[in-house]
Amino acid sequence: QESSSRHPLLTCVDTVEAALKDVAGVHSVFLTSEEKADVLRRLHTLEGRVTGLRLHVMSASDELAETTADHSVATWLSCETRTDPRSQCGDLSLARSLERRWTRLGEAVRDGSVNLAQARVIARALDELPEAEVGREVTVRAEEALIEYAAEYAPRQLRRLGRRILE
């Protein structure tokens, strides 16, 4: 099958796999300190973006569980990847939240401006807001503010800000 007729997500995965294979034996010892810092920061961001993409695909993959009689795509993936089902279930819950409720946060995870740990804290803080009392407009503004704060604050600080966001 021609690569031009493949789904863009499959092409992306192929490209990333090939690039990682190309550098598998390359040693970082010859990088300058500045280059190492640049590579580490960028790899961290890329890791988050890849995870954001995985969550995005998970949120639309319920049919995979149906084909194997698994409880959910999370349990299916945990079997396929030999990972902790609780962790995968947590990821699926976050994925659904980012796709269905906190879509701006989901976009920020996929574009790399919010990392996964920050997203978990922000989503939890937003879920705890009394939307029935404060209204949708306030929760949307809180989501936007917490996403902006993620540019400067680590998850621990975001947790505190999230608890006090209505103030």
Side-chain angles (χ1 to χ4, degrees):
Q1 183 176 13
E2 273 183 41
S3 63
S4 62
S5 64
R6 295 190 74 190
H7 192 284
L9 290 175
L10 288 169
T11 302
C12 173
V13 171
D14 290 344
T15 303
V16 171
E17 283 179 337
L20 290 172
K21 184 178 178 182
D22 288 346
V23 298
V26 175
H27 295 284
S28 59
V29 70
F30 298 111
L31 290 171
T32 67
S33 292
E34 185 177 296
E35 290 170 329
K36 287 176 185 175
D38 183 43
V39 167
L40 288 171
R41 280 191 294 269
R42 291 171 65 194
L43 284 173
H44 179 77
T45 300
L46 286 171
E47 180 182 8
R49 292 182 75 181
V50 168
T51 300
L53 183 57
R54 178 176 57 84
L55 296 178
H56 179 68
V57 174
M58 278 181 81
S59 72
S61 299
D62 288 335
E63 76 278 4
L64 295 176
E66 295 169 10
T67 63
T68 57
D70 280 296
H71 177 68
S72 68
V73 66
T75 54
W76 173 87
L77 187 58
S78 70
C79 289
E80 291 290 313
T81 59
R82 294 160 307 285
T83 53
D84 180 21
R86 289 173 298 185
S87 175
Q88 294 295 345
C89 287
D91 284 355
L92 180 58
S93 176
L94 179 61
R96 288 177 174 159
S97 180
L98 297 178
E99 290 295 318
R100 298 176 185 165
R101 187 154 188 216
W102 310 120
T103 56
R104 287 175 186 82
L105 180 57
E107 291 168 11
V109 171
R110 285 189 300 278
D111 75 20
S113 58
V114 173
N115 66 48
L116 190 61
Q118 290 173 314
R120 287 186 195 288
V121 168
I122 292 170
R124 186 173 298 120
L126 293 170
D127 286 340
E128 292 174 358
L129 290 177
E131 188 174 329
E133 295 172 29
V134 299
R136 180 71 182 144
E137 181 181 325
V138 171
T139 58
V140 167
R141 287 177 43 212
E143 180 181 15
E144 291 169 353
L146 288 169
I147 290 168
E148 287 179 28
Y149 293 153
E152 296 182 39
Y153 298 104
R156 186 174 182 177
Q157 290 83 24
L158 284 171
R159 186 175 295 113
R160 287 188 196 124
L161 289 166
R163 281 191 220 123
R164 301 181 67 152
I165 193 73
L166 293 180
E167 293 174 14

